[in-house]
Amino acid sequence: MTDTIPAPAPVTGRTREGIAERLAQDLQDGYVVNLGVGIPLLVPRFLPADKEVVLHAENGVLGIGGDADPHEADPDLTDAGKQPITLIPGAAITDSALSFAIIRGGHLDATILGALQVSASGDLANWYVPGKNPAVGGAMDLVAGTPQVWVAMEHVDRKGRPKIVAECTMPLTGKGVVTRVYTDLAVFHVVDGQLRLVECAPGVTPEDVRARTGAPYTEHLAG
Amino acid sequence: MTDTIPAPAPVTGRTREGIAERLAQDLQDGYVVNLGVGIPLLVPRFLPADKEVVLHAENGVLGIGGDADPHEADPDLTDAGKQPITLIPGAAITDSALSFAIIRGGHLDATILGALQVSASGDLANWYVPGKNPAVGGAMDLVAGTPQVWVAMEHVDRKGRPKIVAECTMPLTGKGVVTRVYTDLAVFHVVDGQLRLVECAPGVTPEDVRARTGAPYTEHLAG
Amino acid sequence: MIDKFRSDVLSVVDAVPSGASIAVGGFGSSGRPDALIDALCELDRRDLHVYVNNVGHDFTGVGRLLHEGRLRRVTASFPILQEFYDEYFAGRVELELIPQGTLAERMRAGGAGIPAFFTPSGAGTMLSDGSFTLRYSPEGGVAEHVPAKETRMINGREYVLEEGIVADFGFVKAHKADRKGNLRFRLSARNFNPMAGMSGRTTFAEIEQLVDVDELHPDDVHLPGVFVDDLVMSTGKAPATDEPAAAATRKAS
Amino acid sequence: MIDKFRSDVLSVVDAVPSGASIAVGGFGSSGRPDALIDALCELDRRDLHVYVNNVGHDFTGVGRLLHEGRLRRVTASFPILQEFYDEYFAGRVELELIPQGTLAERMRAGGAGIPAFFTPSGAGTMLSDGSFTLRYSPEGGVAEHVPAKETRMINGREYVLEEGIVADFGFVKAHKADRKGNLRFRLSARNFNPMAGMSGRTTFAEIEQLVDVDELHPDDVHLPGVFVDDLVMSTGKAPATDEPAAAATRKAS
């Protein structure tokens, strides 16, 4: 990571909602998915009506229905962000040990997380900015156990620096764990420990992506 | 263990029921106890009415009420010997992992087991006679986890050979795990890895016990 | 939409190839998934490695698999069945004997992403020191021992390292289920069933009752549907009624 | 006869000395045993080591213990509270930061007689490599790191060895209990509570409702009374009603 990359020409890709909408298209019917904070929490808005995606919260909820309206909020029923929620029919509650048995044991289909950095080999940094307040929650368990770890994030940080980097400079959450990255500019897959650009957002060119990405990757664009 | 100990003069100690009755006196109100097969299964008959002893079965039953009469037998409710049982009010069912978490984690007060041999240092052999059919069940977990392991057995085997021996010749269930031994002739405690004779059965002399015991021990008889 | 209920047990169990490993619930005949086991026989599967507490009696349950020569190895704590031992001593089936609590914890650990754990159970015994016979030679004598297990002193006490079991399949019997695969067990028929369900990469549950998807309260689910792939109806005895526990509960004398 | 219910929380919590370690249930304020924690303050206990997922917000829960300077060390995954970090960076409280699933599994393992287990969570990170700061120096700079954890490659993957937590005390909040100590939790207030109850050498549970001993069906007990030593009534908010789950359950859009 460096501060000295010359600023590329402006490009407008997907909005945060657009990133969530694009990612939602790739969730399959019947998936059980854990969502991190940030853009991932926007994903449920964009699930097609013909897909049933079960949402898991690591405090022991399988089958989140949505945020609870104030009149139905129950202090005994919250998501991992401590927000009051509702349940779907067929929901189940577990204790924390069984919740993380589900996570670590690979029984979720996917986890969707925000990121500070993703490396060329799929390393993820998303829990701690040195010098700030450290807290990890369930992030390290989620990336260790879930077969598909999808990152949803802005392509560059607020200062315009790439968040997809050759090597993470931020403390790692897990090594070689990321399987897909959805950003405002592009979609990457990680295959055999190597990044592949598989899709550019509408109106974004491969050159736009290249100029804003700090890691080596290969292009596998359709069509 | 040897076949060549000269047969001592006959002595009549406690019956099997008598062993169970004597042991039952030492169970305290509120104890949660796991019972092995053999003499231990006779213990519940002799619990005083003013003591509540909760019986655990390793297949996940806390609070056995007793054997079920044929008309109330339920195939979904058995003890560790696969016999139909009843429950007491306040009983709880667990899965096998939590049942053994209770056992191994030291949450039972006592386990009462039969034995093939007990050694001078409290080693126990009770699961396997070489050449016969091997099966262990929960015995090794029970002796590993339970703070008090009480053996209830005949003092000598059918051939008159001592079952309390200097070193076990039978395969061990656990090393240094036995804390008390109740036999037809005597009661022993194991303190700091050493056997102590603390009580002779009525009509039995310390010499009778000495002649039928194959292990060194010290006498700590009351009165 | 998620509907895990299947009407045909054979087409479900058809996914199990010969040579597979299977974690099986049940304790004695209580909570034993006989419909799933019987389907293995119907489909003529062989060379199976079964993780199970007991091998059954007569020729039911895992005992039927044994009787029909379908087992390569049994990992169990209490495989009391004379025909099983006859086959074991003749070198026709392997026995990995482990403590009952170790079996339960190994199944749970495998399902929970824990590859190995230390336990005090079996330390200093033949079940950890490499002297137990895994397989006899058909000509007589020992062909192979269960390997010695790693041990470690922790706070002055000896512990044995045991591995989590991730079986190719989990076979479960449950009392009630909804179409999402949420399971509820009844009394001591629960036993190893949640563990077997966790341990399987793919898990099948045979059930006594299929209930509406809003009938099981979220707090009353014993094993969530996330561990279950397919549901089939159990066969044999009539489904147990709901409340014999009340009849079976009486004041302790 | 067994009756674990006590009317006076202070006489129960009086058993906890300064310097004790306590495993505490709750996730955020959901299922947090505030009556037991507040009693520690009333009794002026100090120098405590608390295992808990969150430190609370404002000055409630573990946050109150922090605010009153009663904590020596916090073992947690998500101790988000600015005052906590202020105390941590000033060297007045230690932080052992661990993954949330590791915290839950360590509490369960300790209660289950498992002294240590391997987990993939945290492998190759600061939370296992010895570089995380356990304690800052009051003069600035690092006084002590969390020691590096043992790692092992198993089937080509790196795992971290984590120890079971056996705490001196377990603090639990439950929804219902009977006098035998059998506990039932409600919705996501269950969370770490069963684990905290297992982890404590001695465990106290504060409860919202005391029910007759035959009211909890044996299949509906979430944590059996064998893990619980004393019961006290919870304080604060009115006991939750039984069936808001139905109200909170609606069709997913």
Side-chain angles (χ1 to χ4, degrees):
Chain A
M1 195 176 67
T2 167
D3 279 313
T4 59
I5 289 178
V11 60
T12 300
R14 292 191 167 96
T15 61
R16 289 165 60 86
E17 285 74 11
I19 297 170
E21 185 174 15
R22 173 63 195 85
L23 186 152
Q25 294 170 12
D26 289 349
L27 291 170
Q28 294 179 24
D29 186 36
Y31 265 23
V32 186
V33 175
N34 187 293
L35 304 180
V37 295
I39 297 171
L41 285 182
L42 302 174
V43 170
R45 297 189 202 173
F46 300 103
L47 293 171
D50 62 344
K51 286 184 189 171
E52 181 174 351
V53 172
V54 177
L55 302 178
H56 175 253
E58 55 262 44
N59 55 326
V61 183
L62 272 160
I64 297 174
D67 295 336
D69 294 333
H71 74 276
E72 61 186 357
D74 182 330
D76 286 348
L77 185 57
T78 69
D79 64 13
K82 287 90 175 176
Q83 297 307 304
I85 55 169
T86 62
L87 299 175
I88 60 169
I93 299 290
T94 69
D95 62 42
S96 295
L98 189 58
S99 178
F100 281 92
I102 291 168
I103 290 171
R104 220 177 23 232
H107 304 283
L108 298 181
D109 294 290
T111 185
I112 304 170
L113 296 168
L116 296 164
Q117 292 177 326
V118 176
S119 84
S121 58
D123 297 350
L124 174 67
N126 83 339
W127 69 282
Y128 176 40
V129 177
K132 306 273 187 179
N133 296 337
V136 66
M140 290 186 183
D141 308 285
L142 283 161
V143 302
T146 314
Q148 301 190 68
V149 177
W150 295 358
V151 167
M153 66 175 190
E154 309 282 352
H155 204 90
V156 298
D157 70 13
R158 290 179 194 174
K159 296 185 178 171
R161 294 174 298 198
K163 295 175 71 173
I164 300 174
V165 293
E167 293 283 342
C168 294
T169 55
M170 300 282 194
L172 292 187
T173 309
K175 288 179 77 73
V177 295
V178 175
T179 57
R180 296 188 182 186
V181 184
Y182 296 83
T183 77
D184 45 328
L185 303 187
V187 179
F188 290 84
H189 291 182
V190 184
V191 178
D192 296 332
Q194 303 204 306
L195 270 179
R196 292 181 177 183
L197 173 65
V198 298
E199 191 179 309
C200 296
V204 176
T205 67
E207 293 68 32
D208 293 331
V209 174
R210 180 77 62 186
R212 288 162 182 82
T213 303
Y217 59 83
T218 54
E219 293 185 5
H220 293 255
L221 297 162
Chain B
M1 194 177 68
T2 167
D3 278 314
T4 60
I5 288 178
V11 61
T12 302
R14 292 190 167 96
T15 60
R16 288 165 60 87
E17 286 75 12
I19 297 169
E21 184 174 15
R22 172 63 193 84
L23 187 153
Q25 293 170 13
D26 290 349
L27 290 171
Q28 293 179 24
D29 186 37
Y31 266 22
V32 186
V33 176
N34 187 292
L35 304 178
V37 295
I39 297 171
L41 285 182
L42 302 174
V43 169
R45 298 189 201 172
F46 299 104
L47 292 171
D50 62 343
K51 285 184 189 170
E52 182 173 353
V53 172
V54 177
L55 301 179
H56 175 253
E58 55 263 42
N59 56 324
V61 183
L62 272 160
I64 297 174
D67 294 338
D69 293 333
H71 74 276
E72 63 186 357
D74 181 331
D76 286 348
L77 185 56
T78 68
D79 64 13
K82 287 90 175 177
Q83 297 308 303
I85 56 170
T86 63
L87 299 175
I88 59 169
I93 299 291
T94 69
D95 62 40
S96 295
L98 189 57
S99 178
F100 281 91
I102 291 168
I103 290 171
R104 222 177 20 234
H107 304 283
L108 298 181
D109 294 290
T111 185
I112 304 170
L113 296 168
L116 298 164
Q117 292 177 325
V118 175
S119 83
S121 58
D123 296 351
L124 174 68
N126 84 338
W127 69 281
Y128 176 39
V129 177
K132 306 273 187 178
N133 295 338
V136 65
M140 289 186 184
D141 308 283
L142 283 161
V143 302
T146 315
Q148 301 189 69
V149 176
W150 296 358
V151 166
M153 67 176 189
E154 309 283 352
H155 203 90
V156 298
D157 71 12
R158 289 178 194 175
K159 296 185 179 173
R161 293 173 298 198
K163 296 174 71 173
I164 301 174
V165 294
E167 293 283 342
C168 294
T169 55
M170 300 280 196
L172 293 187
T173 308
K175 289 179 75 74
V177 295
V178 175
T179 58
R180 297 188 182 185
V181 184
Y182 296 81
T183 76
D184 46 329
L185 303 187
V187 179
F188 290 84
H189 291 182
V190 183
V191 179
D192 297 332
Q194 302 204 306
L195 270 180
R196 292 181 177 182
L197 173 64
V198 298
E199 191 180 308
C200 295
V204 175
T205 67
E207 291 69 32
D208 293 330
V209 175
R210 182 76 63 184
R212 289 164 181 79
T213 303
Y217 59 84
T218 54
E219 293 186 3
H220 293 256
L221 297 162
Chain C
M1 295 299 154
I2 299 172
D3 181 358
K4 300 186 176 182
F5 185 75
R6 321 285 176 229
S7 57
D8 179 19
V9 62
L10 290 181
S11 63
V12 167
V13 177
D14 191 53
V16 182
S18 288
S21 62
I22 313 175
V24 180
F27 185 93
S29 56
S30 182
R32 195 177 62 193
D34 281 346
L36 294 168
I37 293 170
D38 287 344
L40 290 173
C41 299
E42 298 293 313
L43 293 163
D44 196 26
R45 297 302 192 265
R46 299 188 173 271
D47 194 33
L48 302 169
H49 178 183
V50 171
Y51 300 92
V52 67
N53 192 57
N54 316 96
V55 296
H57 44 79
D58 306 329
F59 305 125
T60 59
V62 175
R64 181 175 172 196
L65 297 176
L66 175 87
H67 184 64
E68 298 181 4
R70 304 185 182 284
L71 298 178
R72 175 177 81 255
R73 181 184 290 191
V74 173
T75 298
S77 87
F78 208 72
I80 296 286
L81 175 67
Q82 188 53 49
E83 190 187 20
F84 172 78
Y85 291 111
D86 293 344
E87 293 293 296
Y88 168 56
F89 289 124
R92 287 190 290 268
V93 63
E94 299 175 348
L95 171 59
E96 181 192 21
L97 192 73
I98 62 177
Q100 188 176 158
T102 297
L103 179 62
E105 191 70 8
R106 284 183 62 189
M107 286 187 187
R108 179 196 174 275
I114 303 295
F117 59 88
F118 285 99
T119 176
S121 306
T125 77
M126 301 181 55
L127 297 194
S128 64
D129 70 5
S131 65
F132 189 82
T133 300
L134 173 67
R135 183 164 48 87
Y136 283 92
S137 164
E139 296 77 38
V142 174
E144 188 177 352
H145 287 105
V146 174
K149 293 175 181 175
E150 177 177 334
T151 61
R152 183 182 294 206
M153 297 300 291
I154 301 175
N155 296 327
R157 190 166 177 204
E158 187 180 357
Y159 293 88
V160 179
L161 187 69
E162 295 278 3
E163 294 178 4
I165 294 168
V166 179
D168 296 329
F169 295 89
F171 278 16
V172 169
K173 179 172 178 189
H175 178 48
K176 291 184 180 179
D178 63 29
R179 289 181 189 271
K180 307 303 180 189
N182 292 308
L183 302 185
R184 189 165 158 82
F185 305 94
R186 192 172 162 276
L187 299 171
S188 66
R190 192 181 328 178
N191 58 66
F192 280 87
N193 279 300
M195 282 66 252
M198 293 174 72
S199 175
R201 283 196 191 86
T202 299
T203 286
F204 307 142
E206 62 173 85
I207 61 176
E208 294 175 343
Q209 292 180 30
L210 181 68
V211 301
D212 287 344
V213 79
D214 55 1
E215 184 173 322
L216 294 180
H217 189 286
D219 288 336
D220 290 339
V221 173
H222 288 144
L223 190 72
V226 71
F227 290 106
V228 178
D229 293 274
D230 297 286
L231 300 168
V232 299
M233 287 308 290
S234 191
T235 49
K237 80 175 175 72
T241 52
D242 260 10
E243 287 306 327
T249 302
R250 62 182 185 196
K251 295 281 179 197
S253 61
Chain D
M1 296 298 154
I2 298 171
D3 181 357
K4 299 186 176 181
F5 185 75
R6 320 285 176 228
S7 56
D8 179 21
V9 63
L10 290 182
S11 62
V12 167
V13 178
D14 192 53
V16 182
S18 287
S21 63
I22 313 175
V24 180
F27 184 92
S29 57
S30 182
R32 195 177 62 192
D34 281 346
L36 294 168
I37 293 169
D38 287 343
L40 290 173
C41 299
E42 298 293 313
L43 293 163
D44 196 26
R45 297 302 193 266
R46 297 185 174 273
D47 194 34
L48 301 169
H49 178 183
V50 171
Y51 300 93
V52 67
N53 193 57
N54 316 96
V55 297
H57 43 79
D58 307 327
F59 306 125
T60 59
V62 174
R64 181 173 172 197
L65 297 177
L66 176 87
H67 183 63
E68 298 181 6
R70 303 186 183 283
L71 298 178
R72 174 178 82 256
R73 182 183 291 190
V74 173
T75 299
S77 88
F78 208 72
I80 296 284
L81 175 68
Q82 189 53 50
E83 190 186 20
F84 171 77
Y85 291 112
D86 293 343
E87 294 292 298
Y88 168 57
F89 289 125
R92 286 190 291 268
V93 62
E94 299 175 349
L95 172 60
E96 181 192 21
L97 192 74
I98 61 178
Q100 188 176 158
T102 297
L103 179 62
E105 191 70 9
R106 285 183 61 189
M107 285 186 187
R108 180 197 173 275
I114 302 296
F117 59 88
F118 286 99
T119 177
S121 306
T125 78
M126 295 182 59
L127 297 194
S128 64
D129 70 5
S131 66
F132 189 82
T133 300
L134 173 68
R135 182 164 48 88
Y136 283 93
S137 165
E139 296 77 38
V142 175
E144 188 177 351
H145 288 104
V146 175
K149 293 175 181 176
E150 178 177 334
T151 61
R152 181 181 296 205
M153 297 300 290
I154 301 175
N155 296 327
R157 188 163 178 208
E158 186 180 357
Y159 294 88
V160 179
L161 187 68
E162 295 279 1
E163 295 179 3
I165 293 169
V166 179
D168 296 329
F169 294 89
F171 278 16
V172 170
K173 179 171 177 189
H175 178 47
K176 291 183 180 180
D178 62 30
R179 289 181 188 271
K180 307 302 182 189
N182 292 309
L183 303 184
R184 190 166 157 82
F185 305 94
R186 192 172 163 276
L187 299 171
S188 66
R190 193 183 325 179
N191 60 63
F192 280 87
N193 279 300
M195 282 65 252
M198 292 175 72
S199 175
R201 282 196 191 86
T202 299
T203 286
F204 307 142
E206 63 174 84
I207 61 175
E208 293 174 344
Q209 292 180 31
L210 181 67
V211 302
D212 287 344
V213 78
D214 55 0
E215 184 172 324
L216 295 180
H217 189 287
D219 288 335
D220 289 340
V221 173
H222 289 144
L223 190 72
V226 72
F227 288 108
V228 177
D229 293 274
D230 298 284
L231 301 168
V232 298
M233 288 308 290
S234 190
T235 49
K237 82 174 173 73
T241 51
D242 260 10
E243 287 306 324
T249 303
R250 62 182 185 197
K251 295 279 177 197
S253 60

